């Protein structure tokens, strides 16, 4: 029997427990995504590592697995359609938008369940989070709510996208290439590591897909065969080829050449959700992608988060700068900006009017500034050597921060 491949806590060895992994399952309608979710859920339960299950499909009427967090508990899909006069896809999108407003509560719950509970030491922290998404894949992947949910997960846990593919429907070169292009768009939209899960291998073996992804010549041979069999439609000519096949063949040939580099960034596993074959290999791929997330994706996510925080800080400073420029900072003196105030001591010296003598010799300057206000502002800033205008501006800036 193969050793357990799902990430397991290492707290027994006295080390810090391994970080839980979030597996987000996406796939087109009919790809067997929900059955796959049921199979990996049962697999983890069989290994005594029950996952934390999240259902984000508001339109599903029956799910073959229990969910710890279910969007249907918060949002009534049919009521949303009725209230906003929406169709099915619009109802799903609006339901996701409403649920996204609770994403902070979802993350809080996940963080509590993935860390040891001092009040209940016997409770084992979860090591896997699995997320089911709507079959209308574009509604989740390309919506603002989907982006919010994915980024929130990725900010707290290593997150992996599992793209479920219907293998029997991908056996032709054209449908295979369509799935690969969709996978490419999802990868670059989410910017998260991805696993291609070729499902339903009990119906159609997925060895052809692996060969096409790793051997360019093998795909070209299959493409030529489809052209000869007029698989792309069009009027059949004397050579047995369709009039439209030349265009399609050229297009698919160019796409396969472009995607050759794309394939190197993907893991591909073949599974049967019906019989459970290939699930161990899937969790081995999850483990590898979780390490890839920590190594390659997490630093980029942290960099983007830091950039957002820096932009927010600069925006606040600009707003304060505008406010201060609109104020009268004193008769004839230069306007003091936030940038001026945040300079080092040398910059502050340049702003000051005359601080070489801070004793009774400066009686005239003290009288102009006003002893009461001068003392108050200087006490607030703890800067006895800064002139009245600079002290007042810096005091305002400190209060704003």
């Amino acid at each position: 029997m193969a050793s357990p491949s799902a990430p397991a806590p290492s707290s027994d060895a006295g080390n810090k427990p391994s970080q839980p992994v979030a597996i987000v399952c996406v796939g087109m309608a009919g790809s067997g995504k929900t059955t796959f979710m049921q199979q990996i859920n049962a697999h983890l339960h069989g290994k005594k590592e029950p996952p934390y299950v999240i259902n984000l499909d508001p339109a599903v009427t029956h799910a073959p697995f229990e969910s710890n967090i279910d969007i249907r508990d918060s949002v009534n899909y049919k009521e949303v359609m009725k209230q906003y006069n929406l169709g099915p896809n619009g109802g799903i999108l609006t339901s996701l938008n409403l649920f996204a407003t609770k994403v902070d509560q979802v993350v809080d719950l996940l963080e509590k369940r993935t860390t040891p509970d001092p009040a209940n030491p016997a409770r084992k922290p979860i090591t896997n989070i699995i997320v089911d998404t709507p079959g209308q894949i574009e509604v989740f992947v390309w919506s603002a709510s989907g982006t919010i949910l994915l980024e929130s997960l990725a900010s707290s846990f290593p997150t992996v996208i599992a793209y479920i593919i219907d293998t029997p429907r991908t056996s032709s070169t054209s449908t295979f290439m369509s799935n690969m292009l969709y996978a490419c768009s999802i990868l670059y939209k989410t910017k998260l590591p991805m696993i291609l899960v070729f499902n339903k291998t009990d119906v159609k073996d997925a060895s052809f897909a692996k060969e096409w992804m790793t051997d360019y010549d093998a795909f070209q041979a299959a493409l030529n065969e489809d052209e000869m069999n007029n698989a792309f439609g069009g009027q059949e000519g004397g050579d047995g080829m369709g009039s439209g096949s030349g265009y399609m063949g050229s297009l698919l040939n160019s796409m396969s050449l472009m995607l050759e580099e794309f394939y190197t960034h993907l893991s591909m596993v073949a599974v049967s959700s019906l019989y459970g074959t290939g699930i161990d290999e899937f969790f081995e791929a999850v483990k590898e992608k979780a390490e890839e997330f920590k190594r390659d994706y997490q630093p980029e996510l942290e960099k983007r988060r830091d950039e957002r925080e820096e932009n927010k800080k600069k925006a606040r400073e600009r707003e304060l700068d505008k406010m201060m420029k609109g104020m009268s900072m004193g008769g004839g003196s230069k306007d003091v900006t936030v940038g001026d105030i945040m300079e080092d001591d040398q910059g502050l010296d340049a702003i000051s009017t005359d601080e070489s003598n801070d004793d009774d010799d400066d009686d005239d300057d003290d009288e102009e500034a006003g002893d009461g206000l001068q003392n108050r502002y200087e006490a607030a800033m703890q800067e006895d050597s800064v002139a009245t205008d600079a002290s007042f501006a810096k005091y305002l800036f400190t209060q704003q921060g």
Side-chain angles (χ1 to χ4, degrees), residues 156-187:
S156 301
F157 312 99
T159 304
V160 177
I161 301 292
Y163 180 46
I164 318 301
I165 299 173
D166 188 343
T167 306
R169 296 182 182 177
T170 315
S171 55
S172 71
T173 53
S174 57
T175 53
F176 173 81
M177 189 55 59
S178 296
N179 265 298
M180 294 303 102
L181 288 173
Y182 219 123
C184 180
S185 68
I186 294 171
L187 177 68

Side-chain angles (χ1 to χ4, degrees), residues 56 69-76 95-110 145 148-149 152:
L56 295 179
I69 297 176
D70 197 327
I71 188 174
R72 295 175 298 174
D73 296 334
S74 303
V75 183
N76 188 320
S95 297
L96 282 170
N97 290 341
L98 294 171
F99 186 77
T101 62
K102 302 177 181 293
V103 67
D104 55 337
Q105 300 176 34
V106 173
V107 173
D108 287 343
L109 284 172
L110 292 174
S145 54
I148 291 170
L149 291 164
S152 299

Side-chain angles (χ1 to χ4, degrees), residues 34-39 41 60 62-67 72 132:
T34 301
T35 310
F36 175 74
M37 280 280 299
Q38 179 190 19
Q39 189 61 244
N41 184 31
V60 65
H62 173 71
F65 51 84
E66 293 292 332
S67 300
R72 295 175 298 174
D132 192 17

Side-chain angles (χ1 to χ4, degrees), residues 86-344:
L86 300 170
N89 286 354
I92 293 173
L93 178 59
T94 304
S95 297
L96 282 170
N97 290 341
L98 294 171
F99 186 77
T101 62
K102 302 177 181 293
V103 67
D104 55 337
Q105 300 176 34
V106 173
V107 173
D108 287 343
L109 284 172
L110 292 174
E111 289 177 344
K112 288 178 182 177
R113 287 296 288 113
T114 55
T115 54
D117 184 4
N120 187 11
R123 190 181 72 176
K124 186 178 180 182
I126 59 173
T127 57
N128 289 280
I129 302 163
I130 57 177
V131 183
D132 192 17
T133 60
Q136 289 78 356
I137 189 171
E138 69 282 355
V139 170
F140 178 77
V141 174
W142 294 99
S143 66
S145 54
T147 301
I148 291 170
L149 291 164
L150 283 176
E151 287 187 351
S152 299
L153 276 177
S155 66
S156 301
F157 312 99
T159 304
V160 177
I161 301 292
Y163 180 46
I164 318 301
I165 299 173
D166 188 343
T167 306
R169 296 182 182 177
T170 315
S171 55
S172 71
T173 53
S174 57
T175 53
F176 173 81
M177 189 55 59
S178 296
N179 265 298
M180 294 303 102
L181 288 173
Y182 219 123
C184 180
S185 68
I186 294 171
L187 177 68
Y188 289 109
K189 176 64 173 67
T190 62
K191 297 180 177 63
L192 294 171
M194 176 184 287
I195 303 171
L196 296 182
V197 181
F198 282 85
N199 196 14
K200 304 182 183 180
T201 54
D202 53 294
V203 178
K204 173 74 174 178
D205 187 71
S207 57
F208 73 92
K210 185 173 184 180
E211 184 181 22
W212 288 353
M213 291 176 64
T214 55
D215 189 343
Y216 177 78
D217 293 330
F219 182 79
Q220 293 303 307
L223 183 59
N224 292 333
E225 183 179 351
D226 282 349
E227 287 182 333
M228 294 301 297
N229 294 333
N230 195 25
F232 304 131
Q235 296 181 355
E236 188 172 335
D239 57 357
M241 295 178 65
S243 59
S245 62
Y247 165 75
M248 284 294 295
S250 176
L251 178 63
L252 293 176
N253 183 38
S254 301
M255 289 178 178
S256 64
L257 190 62
M258 177 194 71
L259 292 177
E260 192 172 11
E261 176 66 21
F262 165 69
Y263 296 145
T264 62
H265 300 285
L266 298 177
S267 293
M268 177 266 188
V269 294
V271 304
S272 170
S273 297
L274 184 61
Y275 296 108
T277 56
I279 299 299
D280 280 318
E281 290 79 3
F282 170 73
F283 279 104
E284 284 289 349
V286 168
K287 190 175 181 179
E288 292 174 4
K289 289 299 178 181
E291 294 301 319
E292 180 181 328
F293 176 91
K294 296 174 186 176
R295 182 182 67 250
D296 300 331
Y297 289 81
Q298 197 164 25
E300 180 65 22
L301 288 172
E302 292 174 351
K303 179 182 177 182
R304 296 208 307 265
R305 186 164 58 244
D306 292 342
E307 287 176 354
R308 285 196 297 269
E309 292 298 323
E310 182 65 23
N311 289 336
K312 288 180 183 178
K313 181 180 177 182
K314 289 180 179 178
R316 287 195 299 266
E317 290 181 355
R318 285 195 299 269
E319 289 301 318
L320 180 61
D321 201 27
K322 290 178 183 178
M323 179 193 72
M324 296 174 67
K325 283 181 177 179
M327 295 174 61
S328 175
M329 300 297 293
S333 62
K334 62 171 284 188
D335 289 341
V336 183
T337 65
V338 174
D340 295 330
I341 297 173
M342 296 306 292
E343 295 288 344
D344 55 11

